[in-house]
Amino acid sequence: MGTVLIGVFFLLLAVSVPIGFAMGLATMAAIWTHGGLPMSLLAQRTLVGADSYALLAIPFFILAGNLMNGGGITEQIIRLANAMVGRFRGGLALTSVTAAMIFSGLSGSAAADASALGKVLIPAMKKQGYGGGFAAALMAAACVNGPIIPPSIPLVIYGLSAGKGVSIIALFLGGIVPGVLLGLSLMVAAYVIAVKRRYPVSEAVPLREIPRLIGPAMWALMMPVIILVGVTGGVVTVTESATIAVVYAAFVGFFIYRELNWRTIWPILVQTALDTALVMFIIALSSGFGWLLAVSGIPRAAAAWIASVSTDPTIILMMINVFLLIIGIFMEPLPALFILIPVLVPVVQAVGIDLVHFGLVMVFNLCLGLITPPVGILLYICANFAGVKLEEESRELGPFLLAGLVVLAIISFFPSTVLWLPRVLVGYTG
């Protein structure tokens, strides 16, 4: 059964069948060939997979991000970021990374960040003399932070899939330091390249003007603060915080920035429905796939094989990281999470690796796949805004991908970079 399940799944992927349909059809094929299982099992597990109160956080976070994206915050964030770092060599490149770090705390989606910021900042960089491939590669790498800095849909999914012992609050807090490290690493790489190529310095904003720019941007900056304070303080659950984020985003868009109105709200709702349907379709069909995978014994066999190689947590984590980096080249983060969590969580538990730490390592690793050809969606989005071919963008990607790999190594082998904030703020003990 396991052989059929995995074989049919990868065969369908090889002929470009969408990931959700591939999981559903592979599940049907495995049930049919087994003979002892009813086909109604697919429908039953599909409904079970989607029937979760905690999953309500996903559409609400998507809606909150879309409202903020369409609510006039992009320009305010770019102005603030430019005032902070634009005075340095390659200032607009540094502004792009800083803006992406701020935006990541609002949308929770890498593609949303790339779409909102890329269409403004990439043409602006080209206009100032930056290479199109450089601008696209930098923006794509900066937007990897979207699912790392909370709120994060992949971290919600990991927390729900890995088991009741994994705190989504701790995962959210654990994503802050890795996100900041990634942003700083990308800024260092961008600055070195800017100095070497003599990219321009943006017009320096007087320091006395920064407080004036913080005011308008503060409404946007407060949303992740409200989410984290509410959740960590025990006032609301993660799902309830997502609904509060929607109300707050709508209030800011309608009454503060005044960019939202009843005419513009409809496309935002339609886009949210489409985004939610895509995610929930994968979640629902992955339930039956994951259940059969577990029943087939493949996770136990994988865990036994890895344990036979070594029981050293460091070596295990190195092996898993290499495996995930390869998987990320060919598969999007969400379906990879659903397929691999049942396989890898028992392995890391057996050698004593903290599940919150591993969750951030796993999500961060798979998100690097968003900037690796041929599946890296961020590369396609940013190349389109830059008007360059994927090959030109990929040639500029090396320093930024290396920066991401350095941060991955840091958070993998120094767990305190992930666990420090959860321990300090919510008393997480692991």
Side-chain angles (χ1 to χ4, degrees), residues 202-342:
S202 299
E203 183 180 351
V205 177
L207 294 177
R208 65 177 179 274
E209 292 293 314
I210 293 180
R212 183 181 63 82
L213 295 171
I214 289 177
M218 186 57 68
W219 290 98
L221 299 176
M222 283 301 295
M223 191 172 93
V225 175
I226 290 172
I227 293 171
L228 289 176
V229 170
V231 172
T232 57
V235 179
V236 293
T237 65
V238 171
T239 303
E240 291 165 348
S241 75
T243 63
I244 292 172
V246 169
V247 174
Y248 181 81
F251 172 78
V252 171
F254 273 103
F255 301 109
I256 304 300
Y257 297 145
R258 299 181 183 276
E259 294 286 335
L260 292 179
N261 54 54
W262 297 114
R263 196 177 45 197
T264 59
I265 197 72
W266 178 249
I268 291 174
L269 293 174
V270 170
Q271 187 60 49
T272 299
L274 293 173
D275 293 343
T276 302
L278 176 62
V279 175
M280 292 303 298
F281 184 73
I282 295 173
I283 290 174
L285 287 174
S286 71
S287 177
F289 185 93
W291 188 86
L292 287 182
L293 193 67
V295 169
S296 71
I298 291 177
R300 290 191 300 275
W305 178 80
I306 294 176
S308 69
V309 175
S310 175
T311 56
D312 185 332
T314 302
I315 294 176
I316 295 295
L317 213 47
M318 287 176 62
M319 293 173 60
I320 290 175
N321 268 327
V322 172
F323 172 67
L324 291 177
L325 286 169
I326 295 171
I327 291 294
I329 294 174
F330 304 102
M331 193 176 294
E332 293 287 326
L334 291 187
L337 283 171
F338 289 120
I339 294 167
L340 297 176
I341 285 173

Side-chain angles (χ1 to χ4, degrees), residues 41-108:
L41 178 68
L42 174 61
Q44 178 193 28
R45 297 305 309 179
T46 299
L47 290 174
V48 168
D51 184 19
S52 170
Y53 170 76
L55 288 176
L56 282 173
I58 293 174
F60 282 118
F61 276 135
I62 292 174
L63 177 56
N66 287 342
L67 287 171
M68 294 300 270
N69 288 347
I73 66 165
T74 305
E75 185 179 345
Q76 303 291 347
I77 288 176
I78 292 173
R79 285 178 180 175
L80 177 61
N82 186 60
M84 295 166 61
V85 298
R87 66 190 71 249
F88 303 106
R89 175 69 61 184
L92 194 53
L94 303 181
T95 296
S96 300
V97 178
T98 306
M101 290 173 66
I102 298 171
F103 223 79
S104 298
L106 306 177
S107 70

Side-chain angles (χ1 to χ4, degrees), residues 9-20:
F9 174 70
F10 282 107
L11 177 63
L12 292 172
L13 287 186
V15 296
S16 301
V17 174
I19 192 80

Side-chain angles (χ1 to χ4, degrees), residues 38-214:
M39 193 59 69
S40 60
L41 178 68
L42 174 61
Q44 178 193 28
R45 297 305 309 179
T46 299
L47 290 174
V48 168
D51 184 19
S52 170
Y53 170 76
L55 288 176
L56 282 173
I58 293 174
F60 282 118
F61 276 135
I62 292 174
L63 177 56
N66 287 342
L67 287 171
M68 294 300 270
N69 288 347
I73 66 165
T74 305
E75 185 179 345
Q76 303 291 347
I77 288 176
I78 292 173
R79 285 178 180 175
L80 177 61
N82 186 60
M84 295 166 61
V85 298
R87 66 190 71 249
F88 303 106
R89 175 69 61 184
L92 194 53
L94 303 181
T95 296
S96 300
V97 178
T98 306
M101 290 173 66
I102 298 171
F103 223 79
S104 298
L106 306 177
S107 70
S109 165
D113 290 2
S115 299
L117 296 173
K119 65 184 176 185
V120 177
L121 288 167
I122 291 176
M125 280 192 275
K126 289 184 67 179
K127 188 175 180 180
Q128 283 198 5
Y130 294 79
F134 170 86
L138 175 64
M139 195 76 257
C143 290
V144 168
N145 250 336
I148 307 301
I149 295 177
S152 164
I153 292 169
L155 289 179
V156 171
I157 290 171
Y158 174 86
L160 295 176
S161 303
K164 294 182 179 179
V166 181
S167 165
I168 295 176
I169 300 172
L171 288 168
F172 275 13
L173 292 172
I176 294 174
V177 172
V180 172
L181 287 175
L182 177 61
L184 293 176
S185 300
L186 292 174
M187 291 173 76
V188 170
Y191 179 75
V192 170
I193 294 172
V195 170
K196 181 179 179 180
R197 299 181 183 177
R198 304 294 298 171
Y199 283 146
V201 178
S202 299
E203 183 180 351
V205 177
L207 294 177
R208 65 177 179 274
E209 292 293 314
I210 293 180
R212 183 181 63 82
L213 295 171
I214 289 177

